[in-house]
Amino acid sequence: MHFIGTVQAAVTATESDGGPTAAELDAIELEMPVITAEIALLDAQIMTLDRPLSELDTRRIRRARRRVLAARRELSNQTAATVTAPGGAA
């Protein structure tokens, strides 16, 4: 019988055990507007779980969805500009 504790260090050991790398933090920072918009949408949806939708709730959810779509569009435009720019610079 093999004990998982004896092989766990070899399986889970990576070079970045100290935390996220600078590149990973930059990627998170780039995606932060999308993350924030998705959290706002989720909050708007959670508020309406236990009651029927009012007109205000419907508008709040619709606005939050539009913000998510706008943030995603902006992110994909930024990444597309980075990829297609000469030399990889934006």
Side-chain angles (χ1 to χ4, degrees), residues 29-69:
E29 185 66 31
L30 185 64
E31 293 177 10
M32 205 58 193
V34 175
I35 295 168
T36 304
E38 288 176 343
I39 290 171
L41 174 59
L42 186 60
D43 286 343
Q45 291 171 333
I46 288 172
M47 286 191 307
T48 62
L49 286 177
D50 61 344
R51 65 176 189 233
L53 287 175
S54 68
E55 181 62 32
L56 180 62
D57 293 330
T58 304
R59 281 187 271 160
R60 184 179 291 126
I61 290 172
R62 193 174 342 139
R63 263 186 263 126
R65 283 186 181 141
R66 283 196 305 253
R67 285 187 199 117
V68 168
L69 291 174

